Amino acid sequence: MYERRAELDSAKREMTHFLRTQKVKRKYFKYMLFFSVLGLIIFFPTGCGKAQSDETLQSDSITCVNDLTGKNIGVQIGTIGDTYASDYEGDEAGTRITRFNKGADAVQALKQNKIDCVIIDEQPAKSFINKNKELVILEEEFAIEDYAICISKENTELKNKINKALNELKEDGTLADIINNYIGDDTKGKTPYVSPEDTTRENGTLTMATNVAFPPYEYYENGVATGIDVDLSQAVADKLGMELVISDIEFDSIIIAVQTGKADIGVAGMTVTEDRLKNIDFTDSYTTSKQVIIVNSGTSAAKMSFKDRLYQSFIEDARWKYIPRGLKNTIMITLFAGMIGIILGFLLAVIRVAHDRNGEGGVVLNIFNTFARIYLTVFRGTPVMVQLLIMYYIVFAAMKVDPVIAAVLAFGLNSAAYVAEAVRAGIISIEIGQFEAGRSLGFTYGQTMWHIIMPQAIKNSLPAMCNEFISLLKESSIVGYIGLVDLTKAGDIIRSNTYEAMIPLCSVALVYLVIVMVMTAGVSRLERRLKKDVR
């Protein structure tokens, strides 16, 4: 008897040791796999992308405007360069137009030879080539243009006030000083515009919609928006006795923001065109510029070391601060939108199940069920980005609501549709006999659902709900379209200032990956605890 027990104890100890060893090995393997993938993400892209040879560039180069036919032209979407370049699109030579959200993205594509040239405003083009020595600007300009401030057609009074302020700034030389501070060979050491000490702010706020990725007109420096358009708008606000508020959104959303009242003015190096005048009004011009063509010079720029690129992306000008600031907005939107999704999703799921199991269920239940079905169809059948833009520019068109609130509501309502289906599937997976048993014991419908059905349904639907929250976290990366700086937008800001894509993008991806891993580990732990409760 004792010998048999000793053998069993020995076998048990060996099995326990074996399982612990296997657990350690599995854990070690997971960490090794994680760091291997991370290493590939960071270091592999440095060797990707083979540059074209000098011979290839010379044989297919662009030297003037006439050479654009048959080429792949890069433009920033919604700009005047996009408008003019569109005349070449679809010609017999096969000219293509590749549109980017930012000029810096187009320049990055040109550096990697994905496109043949970039058409963009002269001053931003000069800023781009100063940091990208392998690029050059052609001597022949593409077009001449006048910049003005866009304003709603219904806001004639404000337009007249701004025109008066612009005339005063031109006459006293303030406008010329602002422009000369950023443009010219000797811009260092000049004094930027400073508001007069006796300026009053009694006339409310002046919201300026812009795209802070267009140096020297607007760009970030030490975490603060600056540039010609920013200083100009501040000077105008000072003249009007108003507080300037800057809303950084995508360029193609600026006119929409002004039309819907989300912004009072749009200032982003905007050119007056006939098509734009159909939807928006403009003030008097405040400067003249021209569209130019950027091409590869055929020479390779000196490559920066990984350490230098890391320094440039995060340490220089304290650019690392954009990451925690964006992460804060990402987590806040995900958290509150998830709460809305859970509450509303559970409610929709209960309505749908109650109707399916109780037949017609009365007039009231039928109305609620019809609403739930329409809700699920609409929010699951349309892209979340479209829902976000509708929420901000249409639903809240008459109110200057905080973009965070609009984002939380849009993502929360979208998440509720998917949570509802996950919870409904969890409820349906519970045998109907358990529901009938609860009712036979004297429980009401609500008590049966709350005490018997829902705990099991939550356990069954937990994996699907976890996937939904992970998707919600990643989907929040589009809030930059309504002027919010989230984690993805933070990476874009760094990329627009440094023209370095790998470091900021991989860093942002790593932060998302860590958050998702933490969320997955938390849900796995909760699932294990629920399984113990079942035992």
Side-chain angles (χ1 to χ4, degrees):
M1 171 70 75
Y2 292 108
E3 293 178 356
R4 179 61 176 169
R5 180 174 295 177
E7 291 177 358
L8 291 174
D9 290 342
S10 177
K12 184 178 179 180
R13 285 195 298 271
E14 291 179 1
M15 180 59 69
T16 302
H17 176 73
F18 173 76
L19 292 175
R20 286 178 178 173
T21 303
Q22 292 299 109
K23 185 177 181 180
V24 171
K25 287 182 178 180
R26 287 196 299 271
K27 187 175 182 180
Y28 176 76
F29 175 75
K30 287 197 300 184
Y31 281 116
M32 286 296 295
L33 181 62
F34 170 74
F35 286 111
S36 297
V37 173
L38 177 61
L40 286 174
I41 290 175
I42 293 178
F43 296 108
F44 180 72
T46 59
C48 293
K50 184 179 180 181
Q52 293 180 351
S53 64
D54 293 349
E55 183 179 351
T56 303
L57 288 169
Q58 293 298 328
S59 63
D60 196 31
S61 60
I62 298 174
T63 58
C64 62
V65 175
N66 292 334
D67 293 336
L68 293 177
T69 55
K71 301 298 190 298
N72 188 351
I73 305 171
V75 296
Q76 182 178 356
I77 189 170
T79 62
I80 198 67
D82 183 7
T83 302
Y84 290 155
S86 297
D87 296 337
Y88 290 83
E89 193 171 20
D91 58 14
E92 295 181 357
T95 306
R96 291 179 295 162
I97 307 298
T98 303
R99 295 173 173 85
F100 299 87
N101 285 329
K102 295 180 177 62
D105 293 341
V107 170
Q108 188 68 30
L110 177 61
K111 289 171 59 179
Q112 298 174 352
N113 297 302
K114 292 181 172 63
I115 55 179
D116 299 312
C117 67
V118 174
I119 297 177
I120 200 165
D121 300 68
E122 180 185 28
Q123 295 305 324
K126 290 181 178 179
S127 178
F128 291 148
I129 65 170
N130 284 339
K131 294 186 178 181
N132 300 277
K133 301 302 182 182
E134 66 270 43
L135 305 179
V136 295
I137 299 175
L138 298 186
E139 293 183 3
E140 181 183 3
E141 71 269 6
F142 185 70
I144 304 294
E145 56 185 344
D146 291 323
Y147 288 163
I149 299 172
C150 77
I151 191 168
S152 173
K153 288 181 175 292
E154 300 175 356
N155 210 345
T156 306
E157 182 181 357
L158 180 60
K159 173 187 172 182
N160 293 333
K161 290 181 179 179
I162 292 176
N163 280 334
K164 181 180 178 181
L166 285 175
N167 288 331
E168 293 176 0
L169 293 172
K170 290 176 182 177
E171 291 176 359
D172 62 21
T174 302
L175 180 57
D177 290 341
I178 290 174
I179 295 175
N180 292 333
N181 186 62
Y182 294 94
I183 296 177
D185 297 331
D186 185 23
T187 57
K188 293 184 179 181
K190 294 184 179 180
T191 304
Y193 174 80
V194 179
S195 300
E197 294 181 358
D198 58 346
T199 302
T200 59
R201 311 288 181 188
E202 300 175 351
N203 298 325
T205 60
L206 182 69
T207 304
M208 164 195 176
T210 186
N211 180 227
V212 191
F214 202 63
Y217 290 97
E218 45 269 326
Y219 61 96
Y220 282 105
E221 187 174 275
N222 297 322
V224 179
T226 187
I228 295 173
D229 289 341
V230 176
D231 284 2
L232 168 66
S233 299
Q234 183 62 64
V236 170
D238 292 341
K239 290 285 186 180
L240 302 181
M242 305 177 76
E243 184 74 31
L244 181 66
V245 177
I246 299 174
S247 177
D248 180 11
I249 60 178
E250 298 297 331
F251 184 85
D252 54 326
S253 297
I254 293 176
I255 291 180
I256 298 175
V258 175
Q259 283 179 311
T260 57
K262 291 294 177 291
D264 300 308
I265 56 175
V267 194
M270 301 193 72
T271 305
V272 183
T273 65
E274 293 183 2
D275 289 334
R276 288 175 176 171
L277 283 171
K278 295 176 183 177
N279 302 295
I280 204 75
D281 206 352
F282 285 90
T283 64
D284 296 336
S285 173
Y286 60 87
T287 189
T288 300
S289 183
K290 57 185 178 182
Q291 294 284 312
V292 297
I293 303 171
I294 305 177
V295 297
N296 275 304
S297 64
T299 59
S300 299
K303 291 185 177 180
M304 296 176 62
S305 66
F306 180 79
K307 180 181 178 181
D308 291 337
R309 287 190 290 171
L310 197 64
Y311 177 86
Q312 182 189 46
S313 296
F314 297 118
I315 308 302
E316 189 175 77
D317 293 335
R319 294 190 178 106
W320 63 270
K321 292 182 179 179
Y322 294 114
I323 300 297
R325 188 191 309 173
L327 179 60
K328 176 185 175 182
N329 284 333
T330 294
I331 293 177
M332 183 167 57
I333 292 170
T334 303
L335 179 62
F336 287 104
M339 292 170 61
I340 294 175
I342 290 174
I343 296 171
L344 185 56
F346 268 82
L347 182 62
L348 292 170
V350 170
I351 291 173
R352 296 277 286 116
V353 172
H355 179 272
D356 293 343
R357 289 186 172 176
N358 295 326
E360 294 300 324
V363 177
V364 176
L365 187 57
N366 285 337
I367 293 175
F368 281 133
N369 181 66
T370 301
F371 168 79
R373 291 176 66 90
I374 294 174
Y375 180 95
L376 296 175
T377 300
V378 170
F379 279 90
R380 296 178 70 203
T382 55
V384 67
M385 180 174 171
V386 176
Q387 296 169 18
L388 176 65
L389 296 177
I390 290 175
M391 179 66 68
Y392 188 66
Y393 291 115
I394 298 178
V395 176
F396 290 113
M399 294 183 289
K400 288 189 176 181
V401 68
D402 193 317
V404 174
I405 296 176
V408 167
L409 288 175
F411 288 113
L413 294 175
N414 177 270
S415 178
Y418 293 92
V419 170
E421 289 300 283
V423 173
R424 188 171 76 93
I427 295 174
I428 294 174
S429 66
I430 308 303
E431 294 182 3
I432 192 65
Q434 296 194 38
F435 182 83
E436 294 172 348
R439 295 303 301 272
S440 66
L441 291 173
F443 287 101
T444 64
Y445 179 87
Q447 290 174 331
T448 304
M449 288 293 294
W450 181 257
H451 294 289
I452 300 176
I453 304 300
M454 291 306 293
Q456 300 178 75
I458 292 174
K459 185 189 70 173
N460 293 342
S461 59
L462 197 59
M465 292 177 63
C466 175
N467 290 332
E468 166 56 25
F469 292 135
I470 290 174
S471 298
L472 178 60
L473 172 73
K474 293 183 289 186
E475 286 172 352
S476 66
S477 62
I478 62 174
V479 296
Y481 278 89
I482 60 172
L484 276 173
V485 178
D486 70 314
L487 188 56
T488 301
K489 181 73 172 181
D492 279 342
I493 292 173
I494 296 173
R495 186 163 55 93
S496 297
N497 280 276
T498 63
Y499 308 100
E500 164 61 42
M502 189 195 77
I503 301 294
L505 291 181
C506 289
S507 299
V508 167
L510 178 59
V511 174
Y512 275 115
L513 179 60
V514 170
I515 297 174
V516 170
M517 291 179 66
V518 171
M519 292 174 63
T520 304
V523 173
S524 299
R525 186 173 181 179
L526 180 59
E527 285 180 335
R528 289 195 298 270
R529 180 169 295 182
L530 290 174
K531 289 179 181 179
K532 289 181 180 179
D533 293 339
V534 172
R535 296 194 189 102

